[in-house]
Structure formats: structure tokens, C-alpha cells
Amino acid sequence: MPESEPERETGAVIETRGLTKRYRGGQLAVDGLDLSVPGGSVFGFLGPNGSGKTTTIRMLMGLIEPTSGTARLLGRPMPRAARAVLPQVGALIEGPALYGFLSGRDNLLRYDSADPTADPRTRRARVASALDRVGLTSAAGKKAKAYSLGMKQRLGLAAALLQPRRLLVLDEPTNGLDPQGMREIRSLVRELAAEGTTVFLSSHLLDEIEQVCTHAAVMNRGRLVVQGPVAELAAGTRGRLAVTTPDTAEAVRILKELGVQDLVAAEDRVTGDPPADTDPADLNSALVRAGVRVRAFGMERASLEDAFVALTGEGFDVAG
């Protein structure tokens, strides 16, 4: 028989309306958030450090109460339905809480034994499988206190994968990982989505969201800037002008006179942001008329970073 397709969620798996969190000192961490995460998506929750992402996730998981507004997970109100909902949700938030004196394997065994919905008969097999999925089998017997930050992140992700989950909530899951580890976690996220799990992934890394997510929301200073399919978020944003020429200095001078902003010259290439009301073809003609040898001319596809800058009028501070 042919292998059956994984069952996929339909409708919104996460939904918030006016979700707001104001801390005692008056700081508004999350301001009137209306978020809708489609079932079956890999949803990127994007924003600089301090933009309200982790506070939002803590409210979604019922860890803190909102000041106002509502949040629903898997169609149920949070935090009221937390007991019914959370067994169907795997989460990695602000790094895993580990017992340093226990091995990675024993940490997972203890974590699973504390879950009243977990079957003790399959515990060891499920722990072994989770360790294998995150690439920790060879380090399973090592004490967690000897783990690097990246290994701890992997172990936290393994804990979230001990049982099948309808929803996986990951807060900066590649934090502390080397480039190879980041690629492995992205690959795992894609696998989980292919199996029918909805993945909600927060990150301050724009390229991470572009590479792995189907949908995204952009946060800035506690407010939602935009949300939607990743392919559409940058589509309405004009990309940068890119000119290949051996005459970079002259090209920069001409383009600057024509109102092109943020010009950058590197070797035989010049890039910049043309005025919105200017036809790129007119810029090309002006360069040629001025004797600039143009070997290539075009508009680069806009990235999420371009969209963020266009929407907020400021750069994306990845260091926070």
C-alpha cells in the first residue's frame, strides 16, 4: 500500500487578538498583537532581540499572564486550557533547564517520566530516537554540565521531540550552534513540518527565516509590523540596484547625482537604492551616455531584510 500522507492541521494553530503585556515598571513589552499561525506551516517569528518575541511565546505557553487580549493554542484559550493543550505542544524556550550532574540520556529519561501522558514502556526507545534526531547519540552518556551551549540546545530540542506533537514552539533554536549544527536543525525542522507538525520558530536571524519558513511575522518594539507567506513579504519591496562595471568611481558619481541612495562600491560592482519614481532603464541609459562601461545591470530580488528596512525605516540589529 502507498504510504499515507501525514495528517495536517487546518485553520489557525496559534491565534492572538490584542495580546498585550505591560510590566510593572510601565514597560510595554508586547503591544496589541494580532497573530495568526496557519496549521502545517513553518512560521518564523522575526525581530531584533528585545522586540517582544520571548514575552509573546511565554504568554502563548501560559507561563505568564497577558495584561490584556487573548491567545488561543490549537483552538483552546490560554492559559485556561493549558492542561489539555500543552501535552500536544513541544517547546524550547530560553534554553533548556538541565540537571548538570546527569547525562544527556538521563536528563531526557527524567523529563519524560515527569510527563503523565508519556508511556513508560516506550520511554527508552523514544529517548534514543530523540537523541538520534538531534545528533546527540554519541554524547548521550556525557554529563550535561560538560555540554557546550549548542549541545544543550540540541538536548532541549530532543526533549521537545520525545512524543509526537501537533505544534512545536522553538525560541532561537540555533542559538550557540556552529554553521553545521544550524544546517542540521533547519533540516530537522523541515522534516518535522513534512510529517505534519506545525513549527513556530522565533529568531533574530533573517536568513534563517528565509531559508526554512513558509510564513513569517515581523516584530519591532513590541508591535507586529507585518505577517504573511515569506514569498509575499518581500515581494512588495523594491530590491537594490546592482551594476557591474570596471568604472566603479564614475558609476557612483553618476548614480549619486541621479538620487540613488546608500551606494556601495566593491571591486567591479556598485549597489544602491534608486528613487521610487525612477525607471531603472533611465539610470542605465545615463551611465552609458556618461561613458561608463556597463557589463551587467539589474534589480536584485528584495530580501526580508530589505522588507524590514522598508517597513520600519531602520536597520535590523541582529546583535540586539
Side-chain angles (χ1 to χ4, degrees):
M1 283 181 61
E3 190 175 317
S4 61
E5 281 286 309
E7 188 176 331
R8 296 195 176 276
E9 298 281 348
T10 56
V13 170
I14 296 174
E15 195 158 25
T16 70
R17 288 289 173 266
L19 193 66
T20 300
K21 183 63 180 179
R22 186 184 293 276
Y23 287 109
R24 274 188 189 155
Q27 179 201 356
L28 194 58
V30 177
D31 185 5
L33 179 63
D34 291 341
L35 195 64
S36 184
V37 177
S41 63
V42 179
F43 194 99
F45 196 39
L46 182 63
N49 293 332
S51 60
K53 302 189 306 294
T54 296
T55 299
T56 299
I57 288 174
R58 289 172 66 81
M59 286 190 283
L60 291 175
M61 300 299 294
L63 297 171
I64 56 174
E65 290 263 4
T67 305
S68 60
T70 61
R72 297 179 77 84
L73 246 64
L74 304 177
R76 305 287 297 278
M78 292 294 287
R80 196 163 74 241
R83 187 170 292 183
V85 169
L86 291 183
Q88 303 171 74
V89 180
L92 174 60
I93 304 172
E94 293 183 320
L98 304 174
Y99 294 101
F101 62 91
L102 291 179
S103 68
R105 181 186 296 107
D106 287 342
N107 263 283
L108 293 188
L109 290 169
R110 177 169 286 204
Y111 185 89
D112 194 69
S113 65
D115 182 349
T117 67
D119 185 348
R121 295 168 298 180
T122 60
R123 182 164 295 141
R124 287 200 167 270
R126 286 185 292 103
V127 164
S129 174
L131 287 165
D132 181 58
R133 291 200 83 171
V134 300
L136 277 181
T137 299
S138 62
K142 187 186 288 189
K143 287 188 175 177
K145 65 183 176 185
Y147 276 20
S148 66
L149 175 59
M151 290 168 74
K152 287 175 180 174
Q153 284 292 100
R154 289 171 183 264
L155 192 62
L157 189 52
L161 298 175
L162 284 169
Q163 296 211 73
R165 310 288 185 180
R166 289 171 62 188
L167 170 65
L168 201 56
V169 177
L170 307 176
D171 190 14
E172 301 279 358
T174 58
N175 186 31
L177 295 178
D178 60 18
Q180 174 62 23
M182 292 170 80
R183 282 192 293 272
E184 289 171 6
I185 297 304
R186 287 173 188 156
S187 176
L188 177 59
V189 165
R190 291 189 194 101
E191 280 177 32
L192 291 163
E195 292 167 9
T197 301
T198 303
V199 182
F200 184 79
L201 163 73
S202 97
S203 180
H204 65 272
L205 304 173
L206 289 132
D207 62 337
E208 180 161 87
I209 299 295
E210 280 196 293
Q211 286 183 48
V212 80
C213 295
T214 59
H215 295 69
V218 178
M219 291 283 286
N220 190 36
R221 299 180 184 176
R223 305 201 73 166
L224 181 70
V225 178
V226 68
Q227 66 181 319
V230 167
E232 292 177 13
L233 290 184
T237 305
R238 204 173 192 199
R240 280 174 67 81
L241 173 70
V243 182
T244 303
T245 173
D247 309 317
T248 51
E250 184 66 4
V252 167
R253 185 184 71 76
I254 299 292
L255 291 171
K256 193 171 186 179
E257 286 177 2
L258 295 168
V260 178
Q261 302 287 315
D262 191 23
L263 282 158
V264 177
E267 296 180 357
D268 64 346
R269 182 175 157 86
V270 176
T271 61
D273 296 325
D277 57 354
T278 300
D279 185 341
D282 293 339
L283 299 175
N284 189 26
S285 297
L287 289 170
V288 173
R289 280 198 308 272
V292 173
R293 291 168 289 173
V294 178
R295 291 179 177 158
F297 182 98
M299 298 293 294
E300 295 178 327
R301 186 179 70 85
S303 67
L304 268 185
E305 183 163 13
D306 296 325
F308 182 88
V309 172
L311 288 161
T312 66
E314 58 187 83
F316 198 95
D317 178 11
V318 296

